[in-house]
C-alpha cells in the first residue's frame, strides 16, 4: 500500500501558485483496509475516503471503462492491482497526471512536467474523448491559466471539435454546465473560457445565446472592436478585474448584451432596444441552466438598465428614482454597487477604453445613498394615510437626489 499526492496540488506547486486542497491516491489497498485504518468512505461513484485526522481526500487507484453516453457512463475498477500509471492515465490533462511520492520524487509517465513548463494544456490519451465534461474543464482551466501563457494543444483542440460533432455534449446536465461556467466566471480570464468553447464549437451547444453574439457588428465609433462576441469577451475580463472572483457580477456581465444577437439585419450595426430584447434570452438561459436567483436577478437588471446607467447624467431626478425602484434598491441596497460594477465593465470592455474613467458608476451609488437616507420619519405628518406616506417618501427621495446632484 503506497500513497501519492496527485492532481492540482502537484501542478500548482510546479507553476509556483499558492497551494490549494490536496488530493491523494492510494495504490494496493482495499476499501476494508482503508476503513480499518480509520478512513471514512464518502465516494458515491468510486471509492473515496476522508483521512481520520486531516480530513483530506484519499481515493483508491482506479481505472474507468466507457459503458454508455455522457459523463456518467463509466464502469470503475478499483482493484488493488491497479497501478499508479494506470490511475494517472485516466486523468484529463497531462499537467493533472503527475504524482509525487512521500520523498518528493515526481512520477510523470505522460509528460506533464514538460507541458507545465511549456504552458500547454494537452489531453493524456484517447480516453479523454469519452467524457464530454472535459471539454468544459479545458475551457475552465484556460480561464484560470491563460494569464500564465497557457494554450490548448492543437491535437487536443481537434479532439474537442470531434467530441462536439459527435453530440456527446448534449448529454451534459444543466447543473454541471453551470458549475463549470460559475467557476470560469470567478477566474482571472473568463474570455479564455468563451473563446476556447467557441473555437471548438461547444459554445453553441452549452451557451447558444452567447455564441450568437459572435459576428454581430456594432457601431465602430462606440465599439472599435466591432464584433459583439469580442466585446463580450472584453467585458467578461473587465468584470473579473473589477470584481475578482465574483461570479454574480461576472454572470450579469456575461449576459448583459444578449439582445444584440436578436437585432434585425437591416438595422445593424445599430441595436435599438437591445436592452429590453435581451431580457427574454437571459431568462431562458437562466431557466435552462438552473441559475441561482441571486445571479439571475442581477443579470436581468443589468441587461435592462445598463444603457440607463450609461446616460445617468441625462436622466431627470424622478427618472433616477424610478431606476432605483425598479432595481428594488431600497430593500436590496447591495444591488446598486453590483449594477454599477457591471455597467463599468461594459463601458471599459472596449478597445481603447480599458483604463477609462466611469463616473456614472460612482454617481449612481452616491445618488442611491442620498435617496436611501430618507426615512418614513422624515415625512411623517399627522393625518397622512398609507398611499400619502408613500407619495411623500417619493417626493422626499427625488428632492434628496436633486440636492445630491447639486453638491
Amino acid at each position: 500500500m503506497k500513497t501519492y499526492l496527485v492532481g492540482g496540488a502537484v501542478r500548482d506547486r510546479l507553476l509556483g501558485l499558492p497551494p490549494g486542497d490536496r488530493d491523494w491516491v492510494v495504490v494496493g489497498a482495499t476499501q476494508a483496509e482503508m476503513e480499518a485504518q480509520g478512513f471514512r468512505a464518502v465516494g458515491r461513484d468510486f471509492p473515496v475516503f476522508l483521512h481520520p485526522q486531516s480530513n483530506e481526500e484519499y481515493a483508491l487507484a482506479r481505472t474507468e471503462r466507457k459503458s454508455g453516453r455522457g459523463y456518467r457512463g463509466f464502469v470503475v475498477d478499483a482493484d488493488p492491482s491497479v497501478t499508479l500509471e494506470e490511475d494517472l492515465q485516466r486523468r484529463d490533462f497531462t499537467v493533472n497526471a503527475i504524482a509525487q511520492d512521500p520523498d518528493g520524487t515526481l512520477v510523470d509517465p505522460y509528460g506533464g512536467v514538460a507541458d507545465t513548463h511549456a504552458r500547454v494544456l494537452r489531453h493524456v490519451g484517447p480516453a479523454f474523448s469519452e467524457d464530454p465534461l472535459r471539454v468544459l474543464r479545458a475551457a475552465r482551466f484556460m480561464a484560470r491559466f491563460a494569464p500564465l501563457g497557457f494554450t490548448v494543444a492543437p491535437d487536443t483542440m481537434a479532439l474537442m471539435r470531434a467530441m462536439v460533432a459527435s453530440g456527446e455534449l448534449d448529454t451534459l446536465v444543466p447543473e454541471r454546465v453551470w458549475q463549470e461556467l460559475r467557476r470560469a466566471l470567478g477566474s482571472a480570464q473568463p474570455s479564455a473560457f468563451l473563446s476556447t468553447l467557441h473555437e471548438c464549437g461547444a459554445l453553441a451547444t452549452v451557451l447558444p445565446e452567447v455564441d450568437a453574439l459572435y459576428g454581430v457588428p456594432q457601431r465602430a465609433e462606440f465599439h472599435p472592436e466591432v464584433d459583439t462576441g469580442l466585446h463580450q469577451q472584453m467585458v467578461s475580463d473587465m468584470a473579473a478585474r473589477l470584481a475578482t472572483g465574483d461570479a454574480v457580477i461576472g454572470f450579469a456581465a456575461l449576459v448583459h448584451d444578449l439582445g444584440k444577437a436578436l437585432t434585425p439585419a437591416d438595422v445593424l450595426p445599430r441595436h435599438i432596444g437591445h436592452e429590453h430584447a435581451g431580457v427574454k434570452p437571459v431568462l431562458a438561459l437562466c431557466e435552462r441552466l438552473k441559475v441561482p436567483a441571486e445571479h439571475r436577478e442581477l443579470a436581468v437588471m443589468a441587461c435592462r438598465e445598463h444603457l440607463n446607467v450609461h446616460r445617468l447624467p441625462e436622466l431627470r431626478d424622478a427618472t433616477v428614482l424610478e431606476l432605483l425602484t425598479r432595481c428594488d434598491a431600497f430593500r436590496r441596497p447591495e444591488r446598486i454597487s453590483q449594477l454599477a460594477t457591471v455597467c463599468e465593465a461594459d463601458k471599459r470592455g472596449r478597445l481603447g477604453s480599458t483604463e477609462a474613467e466611469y463616473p456614472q458608476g460612482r454617481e449612481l451609488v452616491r445618488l442611491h445613498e442620498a435617496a436611501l437616507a430618507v426615512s418614513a420619519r422624515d415625512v411623517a405628518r399627522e393625518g397622512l394615510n398609507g398611499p400619502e406616506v408613500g407619495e411623500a417618501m417619493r417626493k422626499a427621495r427625488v428632492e434628496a437626489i436633486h440636492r445630491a446632484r447639486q453638491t
Side-chain angles (χ1 to χ4, degrees):
M1 177 176 170
K2 290 198 66 175
T3 302
Y4 300 86
L5 183 66
V6 293
V10 180
R11 176 200 65 220
D12 290 351
R13 182 177 67 81
L14 292 172
L15 290 172
L17 297 176
D21 293 337
R22 299 195 304 174
D23 295 311
W24 305 83
V25 66
V26 182
V27 178
T30 65
Q31 179 163 342
E33 289 171 336
M34 296 292 287
E35 292 175 340
Q37 295 187 45
F39 285 84
R40 179 164 56 91
V42 293
R44 183 181 68 174
D45 300 321
F46 46 83
V48 178
F49 307 85
L50 296 183
H51 190 279
Q53 278 80 48
S54 70
N55 230 34
E56 292 178 332
E57 287 194 358
Y58 285 67
L60 296 185
R62 66 185 189 271
T63 60
E64 296 172 346
R65 178 172 53 83
K66 187 74 168 174
S67 61
R69 282 174 61 82
Y71 64 95
R72 287 192 178 279
F74 292 90
V75 173
V76 174
D77 178 14
D79 188 85
S81 63
V82 175
T83 66
L84 176 63
E85 288 73 16
E86 288 173 327
D87 180 89
L88 295 175
Q89 187 177 39
R90 67 170 177 79
R91 297 174 185 266
D92 48 12
F93 304 105
T94 58
V95 296
N96 295 331
I98 310 168
Q100 179 180 306
D101 72 12
D103 68 7
T105 302
L106 296 180
V107 181
D108 178 30
Y110 305 107
V113 173
D115 283 342
T116 301
H117 293 321
R119 302 297 197 255
V120 173
L121 198 64
R122 188 190 314 278
H123 64 286
V124 173
F128 178 92
S129 63
E130 296 176 349
D131 184 354
L133 188 63
R134 287 176 169 176
V135 174
L136 296 188
R137 282 174 58 82
R140 194 246 299 166
F141 277 128
M142 285 301 297
R144 181 182 177 191
F145 294 131
L148 300 180
F150 268 79
T151 60
V152 179
D155 54 342
T156 300
M157 180 60 70
L159 188 56
M160 289 162 59
R161 290 195 186 101
M163 293 168 68
V164 173
S166 74
E168 271 281 309
L169 269 68
D170 295 334
T171 65
L172 291 173
V173 297
E175 291 83 357
R176 296 308 297 268
V177 175
W178 169 247
Q179 183 180 22
E180 296 297 324
L181 173 60
R182 178 183 55 79
R183 294 176 72 179
L185 293 173
S187 298
Q189 193 173 322
S191 65
F193 178 84
L194 300 174
S195 61
T196 299
L197 293 182
H198 181 64
E199 184 179 349
C200 72
L203 195 63
T205 298
V206 296
L207 292 171
E209 299 88 350
V210 178
D211 188 73
L213 296 174
Y214 288 85
V216 175
Q218 303 164 108
R219 294 171 64 182
E221 63 266 37
F222 301 120
H223 290 278
E225 69 283 353
V226 180
D227 189 306
T228 308
L230 297 181
H231 167 58
Q232 182 51 63
Q233 290 183 188
M234 297 180 72
V235 172
S236 289
D237 283 352
M238 184 57 67
R241 173 178 162 184
L242 296 174
T244 304
D246 192 327
V248 176
I249 287 175
F251 181 69
L254 174 69
V255 299
H256 80 286
D257 260 353
L258 293 189
K260 289 183 176 179
L262 305 176
T263 301
D266 61 340
V267 179
L268 295 173
R270 302 176 70 195
H271 292 278
I272 301 170
H274 75 275
E275 69 277 23
H276 300 296
V279 171
K280 185 176 181 179
V282 169
L283 289 172
L285 188 158
C286 291
E287 178 70 21
R288 187 177 69 254
L289 296 187
K290 303 184 184 343
V291 173
E294 181 184 16
H295 297 70
R296 181 188 70 244
E297 290 166 2
L298 182 63
V300 170
M301 186 191 315
C303 178
R304 186 186 64 226
E305 306 292 352
H306 66 278
L307 292 189
N308 288 327
V309 179
H310 291 339
R311 56 175 177 251
L312 185 67
E314 306 167 22
L315 302 184
R316 295 182 295 111
D317 299 330
T319 306
V320 173
L321 179 61
E322 290 168 4
L323 187 161
L324 295 173
T325 303
R326 285 195 302 273
C327 296
D328 201 14
F330 300 104
R331 292 193 306 170
R332 301 283 302 278
E334 75 282 356
R335 285 184 168 179
I336 298 307
S337 62
Q338 291 176 317
L339 175 62
T341 302
V342 175
C343 294
E344 181 174 354
D346 175 36
K347 201 67 172 181
R348 293 173 62 183
R350 312 174 189 209
L351 286 178
S353 298
T354 55
E355 304 306 320
E357 287 292 317
Y358 188 68
Q360 296 96 317
R362 295 190 299 273
E363 181 70 352
L364 179 66
V365 170
R366 196 173 71 86
L367 297 182
H368 173 234
E369 289 173 347
L372 195 62
V374 177
S375 70
R377 289 190 300 273
D378 299 329
V379 300
R381 294 196 300 273
E382 189 174 345
L384 289 181
N385 60 27
E388 290 171 334
V389 172
E391 176 60 18
M393 282 284 290
R394 188 193 71 80
K395 289 180 178 179
R397 283 170 171 165
V398 171
E399 178 60 26
I401 290 170
H402 179 75
R403 288 196 305 270
R405 282 178 142 175
Q406 307 311 305
T407 59

